[in-house]
Amino acid sequence: MKLIGPFKQVVTLANLPLRGKLSDEQLEIIVDGGIVVEQNIIHKVGNFETLKAENPTIEIENIEGEQIVFPAFVDSHTHICFGGNRANDFAMRNAGKTYLEIAESGGGIWSSVQHTRNASEEELLKTLIERINFLVDLGITTIEVKSGYGLDIENELKMLRIIKKAQNETKATLVPTCLSAHLKPRDFQGSNPEYLEYIITEILPKVKEEELANRVDIFIEKSAFQPEESKEFLLKAKALGFEITVHADQFTPGSSRIAVEVGAASADHLEATIDEDIDFLAKSDTVATALPGASLGLGEKFTPARKLLDAGAIVAIASDWNPGSAPMGNLITQASILATFQKLSTAEVLAGMTFRAAYALNLEDRGQLKTGKKADFVTFTTNNFQNVLYNQGSLNAEHVYIDGISI
């Protein structure tokens, strides 16, 4: 058992509701605080001197200077296992080319599929680890990672096996998700429903057999999979024992309602969600995940996070780091910008990147600094926690702790 501190401010995020709007006045902030860690679990949080007096023989890890501490962040939606890049897509889009024009010229998701299929396992693992390390340096210690750039049994399994290998090379928690239903590959001889059935009968049984992922995702959109075929696919995946999540309402509305109807853990994107579906989401346990990186990368409107929170929804914020629409990867910068445009309180942003995002991944053991939670936390050199979002990602994390150990 050891006591870590003193911290100028310990922002615990404890005792906050899972859903709905939050004010900064609801934040529990312990001044001159400390964290007692036993093995990999938080034993107690409180005033540093009081904790020290209660445990006179405890090992102490002194924190120098003025530092504040948050629960470590959770990025609940990424596509960081991929080959190649799509810088040309970005340039063409900014020059006025449409999505269809970019795809027809060799860009788009199919470009990333080809790059990923052609990349060696060693190359994919190396770049995946580099991206994981980038996120960890930001203070993100739980990272969802999707497949979806393989789109056949050989290459989808290749991606998921690489994600599994990466877990052995990082102390961060990786949450793999099978996104074989990203879009129908151009080289598949058959219809959309036939490809979805191929995933159900050929890919998912192998994923289950090799314990490569417990989660399944699908992109419901005019350019990918249609609502009814997607709903049938999700119900079949759920019957196979998978948790489900959905790329929903990115460009057109309606699919977030399907996510709720099938009991998805989260509905992600939601830039096109209409008011009646906001209310539908808010009455459910499906997390509404905002992906501001995609809005910035595409020049599209942001997820209506303010309306969702006011309606009582569970709102998470994730990076959507991918080679096409969201290449930045910096969750803190993205969340800060989302807060500016959607008028989100600091408490709402922090909750969206911690315990609410963890809930979207069915991980309720982290995201708050309180007794019994996983001892993952991040410190910043500042005397005011508000400076982290105020600096929009330019204030770097000082120390990142995983299981109570600074890495």
Side-chain angles (χ1 to χ4, degrees):
M1 197 157 65
K2 67 178 176 180
L3 169 60
I4 305 171
F7 296 103
K8 187 70 176 177
Q9 295 173 322
V10 179
V11 184
T12 69
L13 299 184
N15 306 313
L16 293 176
L18 179 62
R19 61 177 65 246
K21 59 186 177 181
L22 298 169
S23 69
D24 290 352
E25 289 71 29
Q26 291 175 266
L27 289 171
E28 178 184 58
I29 301 169
I30 301 172
V31 177
D32 299 323
I35 302 172
V36 177
V37 175
E38 187 170 17
Q39 295 180 335
N40 62 338
I41 301 298
I42 295 172
H43 177 72
K44 195 171 183 181
V45 182
N47 176 269
F48 180 80
E49 291 300 330
T50 300
L51 293 171
K52 186 176 174 182
E54 290 173 352
N55 303 274
T57 61
I58 197 170
E59 175 191 353
I60 294 177
E61 183 176 326
N62 276 302
I63 296 297
E64 302 295 333
E66 292 187 329
Q67 292 187 44
I68 64 95
V69 61
F70 295 131
F73 303 123
V74 175
D75 194 339
S76 61
H77 183 127
T78 84
H79 303 251
I80 57 175
C81 184
F82 62 85
N85 85 20
R86 280 155 57 192
N88 192 49
D89 284 23
F90 185 76
M92 291 174 69
R93 190 160 52 240
N94 289 348
K97 297 292 185 183
T98 67
Y99 182 91
L100 184 59
E101 287 170 334
I102 293 170
E104 287 176 345
S105 67
I109 292 172
W110 185 244
S111 170
S112 291
V113 172
Q114 292 174 300
H115 283 299
T116 304
R117 287 181 177 181
N118 291 332
S120 68
E121 292 187 15
E122 292 75 19
E123 179 186 350
L124 286 174
L125 180 60
K126 177 178 179 291
T127 54
L128 173 57
I129 292 294
E130 288 171 353
R131 294 172 192 128
I132 290 167
N133 290 340
F134 175 88
L135 293 175
V136 171
D137 286 345
L138 296 177
I140 299 163
T141 64
T142 301
I143 306 163
E144 190 256 16
V145 188
K146 301 180 190 295
S147 66
Y149 295 123
L151 305 188
D152 62 23
I153 188 166
E154 175 187 354
N155 289 289
E156 282 293 297
L157 293 177
K158 179 176 84 168
M159 291 187 70
L160 290 166
R161 287 168 184 153
I162 286 165
I163 296 166
K164 190 171 185 177
K165 283 183 182 178
Q167 182 63 86
N168 296 325
E169 298 193 26
T170 178
K171 289 181 167 56
T173 300
L174 304 184
V175 181
T177 299
C178 181
L179 180 57
S180 300
H182 204 175
L183 82 168
K184 182 174 75 71
R186 294 183 182 180
D187 55 4
F188 182 83
Q189 302 301 313
S191 64
N192 271 12
E194 286 171 329
Y195 176 64
L196 293 176
E197 190 62 22
Y198 166 75
I199 297 171
I200 292 292
T201 58
E202 300 295 329
I203 298 179
L204 292 186
K206 290 293 292 183
V207 172
K208 181 70 74 174
E209 179 186 330
E210 296 186 34
E211 299 181 340
L212 296 174
N214 291 319
R215 307 175 83 244
V216 167
D217 194 354
I218 187 170
F219 184 22
I220 307 178
E221 193 51 70
K222 288 180 178 179
S223 61
F225 297 100
Q226 305 314 304
E228 285 309 310
E229 65 194 15
S230 299
K231 184 174 183 178
E232 183 179 349
F233 168 79
L234 288 165
L235 290 172
K236 287 180 178 179
K238 192 173 181 181
L240 290 174
F242 290 95
E243 296 175 14
I244 53 176
T245 182
V246 179
H247 280 63
D249 294 1
Q250 183 174 10
F251 302 113
T252 53
S255 47
S256 61
R257 185 171 285 265
I258 290 174
V260 171
E261 289 171 350
V262 299
S266 68
D268 302 7
H269 275 294
L270 308 176
E271 295 91 337
T273 303
I274 56 178
D275 287 350
E276 50 262 45
D277 289 346
I278 286 174
D279 291 335
F280 197 68
L281 265 169
K283 292 181 174 67
S284 77
D285 291 328
T286 296
V287 177
T289 303
L291 304 176
S295 300
L296 293 168
L298 295 174
E300 299 282 347
K301 61 184 179 181
F302 289 98
T303 303
R306 178 74 273 146
K307 284 186 175 182
L308 284 159
L309 286 162
D310 288 346
I314 310 167
V315 175
I317 306 170
S319 75
D320 192 24
W321 189 357
N322 73 71
S325 60
M328 181 201 297
N330 192 321
L331 176 60
I332 317 305
T333 296
Q334 295 171 14
S336 301
I337 293 169
L338 177 71
T340 301
F341 280 88
Q342 285 291 306
K343 303 306 175 195
L344 307 182
S345 70
T346 298
E348 289 166 340
V349 174
L350 293 175
M353 296 190 296
T354 54
F355 68 94
R356 288 177 170 178
Y359 183 82
L361 299 176
N362 197 27
L363 295 172
E364 298 183 57
D365 64 339
R366 65 198 68 199
Q368 295 170 309
L369 300 178
K370 60 187 288 189
T371 300
K373 298 292 186 179
K374 191 174 187 292
D376 285 12
F377 40 92
V378 55
T379 80
F380 293 85
T381 300
T382 179
N383 61 5
N384 176 8
F385 74 95
Q386 293 173 319
N387 282 327
V388 175
L389 296 184
Y390 167 67
N391 283 277
Q392 296 181 314
S394 63
L395 184 63
N396 296 328
E398 187 68 33
H399 296 291
V400 180
Y401 286 80
I402 296 179
D403 293 333
I405 298 170
S406 179
I407 59 170

